[in-house]
């Protein structure tokens, strides 16, 4: 008999403190919390402790569970060994939960008799302190086992750079079935050419870094993968066979700031390994939320000034409303200044500014003096050419249209090297000819030297391109790309400025420059940029400076656009004054974009459009866009399994910092989003624009939204910081909002609208502070579960439930 097989035992072991020095602690199942028919039994011998848990019988399917409470001294991946009996002749199964979240189904092979006991190891990620581990007989499980005890080994501390959270494509996926990994899993699936993992790493200084790779290779023979650094093939990495998780080291030459370390199954490799993570000697840390950047930012209103601070003001069509933090400094008289003390050395500066436009709307330029410790360094040339648009959407350069906005532009310049502690002053001298200058912020950094041409690259200068002249280099770039593709080489654009008058098509080729501050591809008359037409495209280490002066969707060009196929990579690229920064189109599967700066566009910053799969935009900064900062638009086909992660998005002039319009299984995670202007939310999860409906789980986790939301004048509607908007269709697929902070929203912190159904919405650990109207406003049908949702300082109150929306309240809610 099945020993009255405990219904789905929820092993809830009484908490026993785990000494910090202990290698492992055993928790008896009979002392755990039992539910759903799980019971204590002594019917069969061989158990430890005072009994075992039975009751996982078919009659208790979907209910029986055993929940252990375990305590760990540190967070990390712990090996949990379950001692069980399965006297049937078949493999059975239970589901494993950690802290209430299902991790996986665990298979439990037959052990031959009910008084014989086997073990099954699981690697589970635990937090420091108390955790619950539950073995449940779910409806998808086979049950019919008995549970004796679990043994919990001390967690394996997470490695500095985990692979399961890195970018994975080409067949590489996250796994968690091999015991003993660190973090929450590892990278596996290196079984076919093209499978790759790319991990971002921060370095305080350039140079060689000893890199330790933790891997699993139980195959009995050494295996290989090819190592890449910042998109360049570096070496073949040999991973000897061994048990458990051995390590191997190699030295990689890295640059200061953000680096991409990749491992790929290339032709000639053998693959067949799992990669757990990296330790890089001398590495820094990545920001917990938002992009890790090489520059330091100084807000003008926080500097020292004898001029006027404008704002704070959120009134649309005012200059303060378009400033970072809604405040800036106006220099409108000779001798007025704003100054900053450098906290890090710098030899470059970016100034976000306004100068008045001319009467024709075609723009003007004017000098502004830059001083260091009281000594004039140089004049910076500020201008209105790429700012100031007028009239109604989509806006023009004609001042007769009235309603000016999009006032700000940015100028960047190299300056003599200045040490930390230097006082940089922007001053309106007698020669500063503009009537006024509005200074919003400055960014300063120390620029790396120009990179040298890598091996196996063809210089565009060999095909007729000439740096720093007015000639058209479009044909030369196209010729170099064609030759490089034919020869299996890359294309090199050296330091200097190269002019293009049309899009440059690229497929199967790497196009590299000498660095964002050194190589510039400059467009003309609204034209220019790169257009992908196939797989294995790489664009890196350069600036795309467009010449788009107002919005014209039909006639002007995007910085980087097209179908990138598989295996493509864009990194360390600066894009400004283009229609859209990046428009990623149907057919793209597994594009990784990292370390990008997108500034001053007239439409979206980034748009993943239609059938885009497995694509990630990561560790990048988007500022002053004319439409959504980051968008996923499932038009006709779904954007699938794609992600916006660790980005900083500020000051979209129209629409949202992030907009997700339909799609399947997409993620918006670990971003900093701020200062939306009009018709806007910080994050919009929406069926607007009639996209393909949502499916899978849309994940909105660990984001911070500051001063977001906005007024939609066409609808006379107030939009929330976080906006779930069922417009053309209901939203019934799961949407998970977890660990999100919403600060100082213009209107609601969270808005659910508009009179359609929104269900399967989960709100966990959401903090709403200082909403301008309600903390939460519901104008939809349906229901959501909410736990740990806290509202403080909402001007109009915590909740305005217009439609009687159902909130299923868990623990930890307050203020609404």
């Amino acid at each position: 008999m099945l020993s009255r097989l405990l219904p789905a035992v929820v092993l809830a072991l009484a908490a026993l403190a785990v000494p910090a020095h202990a290698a492992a602690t055993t928790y008896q199942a009979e002392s755990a919390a039992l539910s759903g028919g799980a019971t204590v039994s002594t019917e069969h011998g061989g158990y430890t402790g005072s009994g075992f848990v039975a009751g996982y019988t078919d009659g208790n399917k979907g209910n029986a569970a055993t929940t252990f409470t375990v305590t760990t001294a540190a967070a990390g991946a712990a090996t949990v060994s379950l001692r069980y009996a399965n006297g049937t002749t078949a493999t059975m199964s239970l589901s494993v939960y950690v802290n209430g979240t299902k991790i996986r189904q665990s298979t439990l092979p037959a052990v031959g008799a009910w008084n014989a006991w086997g073990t099954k190891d699981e690697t589970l990620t635990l937090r420091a302190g108390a955790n619950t581990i539950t073995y449940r007989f779910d409806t998808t499980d086979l049950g019919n086992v008995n549970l004796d005890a679990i043994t919990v080994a001390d967690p394996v501390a997470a490695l500095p750079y985990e692979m399961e959270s890195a970018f994975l494509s080409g067949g590489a996926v996250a796994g968690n079935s091999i015991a003993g990994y660190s973090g929450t899993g590892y990278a596996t699936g290196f079984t076919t050419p093209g499978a790759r993992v790319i991990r971002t790493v921060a370095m305080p200084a350039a140079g060689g870094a000893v890199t330790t790779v933790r891997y699993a290779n139980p195959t009995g023979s050494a295996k290989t993968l090819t190592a890449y650094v910042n998109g360049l093939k570096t070496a073949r990495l040999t991973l000897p066979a061994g048990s458990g998780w051995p390590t191997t080291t190699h030295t990689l030459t890295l640059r200061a700031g953000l680096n991409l370390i990749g491992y790929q199954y290339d032709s000639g490799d053998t693959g067949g390994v799992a990669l757990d993570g990296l330790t890089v000697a001398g590495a820094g840390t990545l920001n917990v939320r938002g992009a890790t950047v090489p520059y330091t930012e100084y807000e003008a209103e926080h500097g020292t000034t004898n001029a006027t601070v404008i704002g704070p003001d959120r009134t649309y069509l005012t200059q303060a409303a378009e400033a970072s933090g809604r405040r800036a400094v106006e220099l409108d008289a000779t001798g007025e200044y704003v100054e900053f003390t450098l906290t890090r050395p710098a030899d470059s500066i970016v100034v976000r500014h306004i100068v008045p436009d001319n009467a024709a709307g075609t723009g003007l330029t004017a000098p502004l003096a830059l001083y260091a410790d009281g000594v004039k360094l140089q004049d910076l040339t500020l201008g209105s050419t790429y700012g100031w648009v007028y009239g109604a959407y989509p806006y023009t350069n004609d001042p007769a249209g009235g309603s000016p906005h999009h006032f700000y532009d940015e100028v960047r310049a190299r300056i003599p090297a200045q040490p930390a502690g230097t006082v940089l002053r922007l001053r309106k001298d007698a020669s500063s000819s503009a009537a006024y200058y509005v200074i919003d912020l400055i960014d300063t950094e120390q620029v790396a030297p120009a990179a040298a041409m890598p091996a196996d690259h063809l210089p565009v200068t060999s095909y007729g391109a000439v740096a720093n002249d007015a000639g058209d280099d479009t044909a030369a770039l196209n010729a170099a790309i064609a030759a490089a593709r034919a020869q299996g080489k890359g294309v090199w654009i050296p330091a200097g400025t190269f002019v293009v008058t049309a899009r440059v098509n690229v497929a199967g080729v790497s196009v590299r420059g000498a660095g964002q501050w050194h190589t510039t591809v400059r467009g003309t008359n609204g034209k220019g940029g790169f257009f992908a037409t196939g797989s294995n495209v790489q664009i890196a280490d350069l600036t795309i400076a467009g010449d788009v002066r107002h919005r014209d969707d039909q006639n002007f060009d995007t910085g980087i656009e097209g179908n990138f196929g598989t295996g493509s990579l864009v990194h360390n690229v600066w894009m400004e004054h283009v229609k859209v920064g990046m428009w990623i189109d149907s057919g793209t599967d597994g594009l990784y974009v990292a370390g990008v700066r997108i500034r001053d566009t007239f439409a979206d910053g980034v748009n993943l459009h239609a059938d885009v799969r497995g694509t990630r935009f990561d560790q990048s900064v988007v500022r002053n866009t004319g439409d959504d900062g980051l968008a996923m638009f499932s038009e006709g086909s779904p954007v699938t399994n794609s992600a916006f992660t660790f980005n900083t998005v500020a000051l979209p002039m129209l629409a949202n910092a992030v907009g997700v319009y339909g799609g399947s299984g997409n993620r918006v995670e670990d971003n900093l989003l701020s200062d939306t202007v009009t018709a806007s939310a910080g994050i919009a999860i929406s069926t607007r624009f009639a996209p393909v409906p949502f499916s899978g789980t849309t994940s909105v986790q660990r984001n911070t939204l500051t001063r977001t939301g906005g007024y939609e004048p066409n609808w006379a509607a107030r939009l929330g910081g976080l906006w779930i908007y069922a417009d053309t269709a209901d939203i019934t697929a799961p949407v998970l909002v977890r660990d999100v902070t919403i600060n100082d929203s213009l209107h609601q912190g969270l808005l659910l609208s508009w009179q359609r159904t929104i269900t399967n919405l989960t709100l966990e650990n959401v903090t709403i502070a200082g909403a301008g109207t309600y903390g939460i406003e519901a104008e939809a049908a349906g229901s959501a579960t909410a736990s740990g949702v806290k509202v403080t300082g909402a001007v109009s109150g915590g909740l305005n439930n217009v439609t009687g929306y159902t909130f299923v309240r868990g623990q930890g809610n307050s203020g609404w």
Side-chain angles (χ1 to χ4, degrees):
M1 120 179 233
L2 294 184
S3 100
R4 299 175 177 74
L5 291 171
L6 310 181
V9 180
V10 175
L11 302 179
L13 284 188
L16 297 176
V18 180
H21 62 276
T25 302
T26 297
Y27 299 84
Q28 292 295 330
E30 67 273 17
S31 300
L34 309 181
S35 61
T39 60
V40 177
S41 176
T42 58
E43 181 178 359
H44 303 294
Y47 57 81
T48 61
S50 60
F52 60 87
V53 172
Y56 285 99
T57 54
D58 291 340
N60 294 320
K61 187 169 187 173
N63 298 305
T66 302
T67 299
F68 298 89
T69 297
V70 305
T71 303
T72 57
T79 299
V80 177
S81 182
L82 171 67
R83 192 170 191 263
Y84 73 95
N86 174 4
T88 75
T89 58
T91 296
M92 296 298 173
S93 62
L94 295 176
S95 291
V96 183
Y97 290 73
V98 172
N99 296 320
T101 300
K102 183 173 179 177
I103 305 302
R104 68 180 70 93
Q105 185 180 72
S106 181
T107 56
L108 302 170
V111 294
W114 289 109
N115 60 358
W117 298 89
T119 58
K120 175 62 182 290
D121 289 347
E122 306 281 353
T123 301
L124 302 176
T125 299
L126 305 179
R127 59 196 177 201
N131 297 265
T132 59
I133 300 173
T134 299
Y135 290 84
R136 182 181 300 276
F137 189 177
D138 280 348
T139 56
T140 56
D141 295 322
L142 298 173
N144 292 290
V145 293
N146 296 329
L147 307 184
D148 181 35
I150 62 170
T151 299
V152 182
D154 286 343
V156 179
L159 293 168
Y161 296 102
E162 291 285 349
M163 288 306 198
E164 69 276 11
S165 59
F167 177 71
L168 302 165
S169 70
V173 295
N176 57 17
S177 62
I178 303 173
Y181 57 78
S182 70
T184 60
Y186 50 83
T188 187
F190 298 98
T191 57
T192 57
R196 61 176 178 167
V197 58
I198 303 175
R199 174 71 256 188
T200 51
V201 172
M203 295 299 293
V210 176
T211 300
T212 302
V213 182
R214 190 171 191 257
Y215 69 95
N217 176 13
T219 65
S221 62
K223 301 296 182 181
T224 63
L225 293 173
T226 299
Y228 287 76
V229 171
N230 297 319
L232 290 170
K233 185 180 294 188
T234 300
R236 179 159 285 158
L237 180 66
T238 299
L239 302 166
S243 60
W245 291 93
T247 61
T248 188
T249 61
H250 59 150
T251 299
L252 300 176
T253 300
L254 304 178
R255 58 191 175 200
L258 191 74
N259 289 265
L260 308 184
I261 297 177
Y263 298 97
Q264 182 165 311
Y265 188 128
D266 278 353
S267 177
D269 285 325
T270 52
V273 296
L275 302 182
D276 189 23
L278 300 175
T279 301
V280 182
T285 57
L286 298 167
N287 289 343
V288 174
R289 294 187 185 184
T292 300
V293 298
Y295 56 82
T296 303
E297 193 157 283
Y298 304 86
E299 291 280 355
E301 65 271 20
H302 297 154
T304 300
T305 185
N306 63 351
T308 302
V309 175
I310 64 171
D313 191 348
R314 300 190 187 186
T315 305
Y316 185 48
L317 304 181
T318 64
Q319 293 179 345
E322 294 188 16
S324 174
R326 316 295 184 174
R327 294 192 295 165
V329 172
E330 182 179 54
L331 313 177
D332 61 3
T334 299
E336 290 188 340
Y337 66 85
V338 60
E339 65 184 25
F340 317 83
T341 300
L342 295 181
T343 59
R344 296 165 62 189
D347 60 6
S348 69
I349 188 170
V350 173
V351 181
R352 187 170 193 263
H353 66 275
I354 304 172
V355 296
D357 205 9
N358 63 355
T362 54
L364 57 75
T365 59
L368 181 65
L370 175 66
Y371 291 78
D373 290 336
V375 177
K376 185 172 181 178
L377 295 180
Q378 63 199 71
D379 280 327
L380 303 176
T381 301
L382 279 57
S384 66
T385 302
Y386 298 106
W388 293 84
V389 295
Y390 304 90
Y393 176 89
Y395 317 118
T396 70
N397 261 346
D398 184 0
S403 301
H405 65 285
H406 206 293
F407 305 107
Y408 289 87
D409 191 21
E410 298 183 13
V411 62
R412 68 178 190 175
R414 297 296 302 273
I415 63 175
Q418 306 297 320
T422 300
V423 176
L424 288 184
R425 173 178 289 187
L426 295 169
R427 183 179 187 272
K428 189 179 189 303
D429 284 352
S431 59
S432 301
S433 56
Y436 64 85
Y437 300 80
V438 176
I439 308 302
D440 183 23
L441 57 81
I442 70 168
D443 297 331
T444 62
E445 67 183 284
Q446 194 157 296
V447 176
M453 183 176 74
D456 297 326
H457 279 59
L458 303 178
V460 296
T461 50
S462 295
Y463 294 84
V466 178
N468 305 319
D469 71 348
D472 183 1
D473 298 305
T474 310
L477 265 65
N478 282 324
I481 288 170
R485 186 173 186 183
Q487 298 176 41
K489 296 183 177 182
V491 172
W492 174 248
I493 307 178
T497 297
F498 297 84
V499 176
V500 293
T501 58
R503 299 186 309 194
V504 176
N505 292 341
V506 57
V509 168
S510 170
V511 178
R512 306 183 72 92
Q516 291 180 339
W517 283 89
H518 300 288
T519 296
T520 298
V521 176
R522 183 173 299 284
T524 54
N525 298 318
K527 300 294 187 179
F530 290 94
F531 190 82
T533 60
S535 300
N536 299 314
V537 170
Q538 185 174 175
I539 302 171
D541 301 330
L542 51 81
T543 287
I544 301 169
D547 185 33
V548 174
R549 305 182 184 200
H550 64 278
R551 184 163 181 168
D552 185 338
D553 291 349
Q554 298 303 312
N555 295 304
F556 291 160
D557 287 344
T558 291
I560 297 176
E561 186 175 358
N563 172 6
F564 287 79
T566 60
S568 292
L569 174 65
V570 177
H571 61 106
N572 201 39
V573 176
W574 191 319
M575 287 165 267
E576 61 185 11
H577 304 147
V578 292
K579 178 182 70 178
V580 174
M582 299 186 71
W583 187 277
I584 311 305
D585 227 329
S586 288
T588 300
D589 186 354
L591 168 67
Y592 186 49
V593 182
V596 164
R597 305 185 210 189
I598 297 176
R599 309 281 173 82
D600 307 310
T601 69
F602 286 87
D604 296 335
V606 174
N607 195 307
L608 309 187
H609 177 244
D611 183 21
V612 173
R613 303 178 298 277
T615 289
R616 182 170 171 181
F617 187 84
D618 189 32
Q619 292 290 353
S620 296
V621 178
V622 178
R623 186 163 70 203
N624 200 39
T625 60
D627 216 315
D628 288 322
L630 303 174
M632 298 181 187
F633 181 22
S634 295
E635 184 179 34
S637 299
V639 176
T640 305
N641 296 330
S642 294
F644 296 140
T645 58
F646 294 100
N647 301 298
T648 300
V649 182
L651 295 155
M653 296 297 103
L654 172 70
N656 315 294
V658 176
V660 180
Y661 306 103
S664 178
N666 297 308
R667 298 184 291 129
V668 180
E669 297 177 349
D670 305 291
N671 302 289
L672 293 178
L673 313 170
S674 64
D675 293 317
T676 56
V677 175
T678 189
S680 55
I683 300 174
I685 307 299
S686 174
T687 56
R688 192 179 181 188
F689 309 120
V692 173
F694 285 97
S695 60
T697 298
T698 300
S699 171
V700 179
Q701 299 193 67
R702 300 177 303 278
N703 301 287
T704 299
L705 287 62
T706 303
R707 296 179 300 273
T708 57
Y711 184 70
E712 168 51 272
N714 297 302
W715 306 342
R718 298 172 174 180
L719 307 183
L722 173 59
W723 183 25
I724 314 294
Y725 181 34
D727 180 19
T728 61
D730 297 338
I731 299 176
T732 58
V735 176
L736 172 63
V737 179
R738 176 184 288 157
D739 298 328
V740 171
T741 301
I742 306 172
N743 294 321
D744 196 14
S745 295
L746 179 58
H747 303 302
Q748 314 91 340
L750 168 64
L751 173 63
L752 310 179
S753 71
W754 171 248
Q755 298 186 5
R756 282 183 178 269
T757 298
I758 299 172
T759 60
N760 283 320
L761 172 62
T762 301
L763 305 171
E764 293 182 3
N765 301 328
V766 178
T767 299
I768 300 172
T773 59
Y774 295 96
I776 301 171
E777 184 168 312
E779 300 176 1
S783 65
T785 61
S787 59
V789 178
K790 299 177 181 180
V791 177
T792 59
V795 171
S796 302
L799 174 65
N800 184 28
N801 196 339
V802 177
T803 52
Y805 191 82
T806 300
F807 291 96
V808 180
R809 295 174 182 256
Q811 296 181 341
N813 299 302
S814 63
W816 61 286

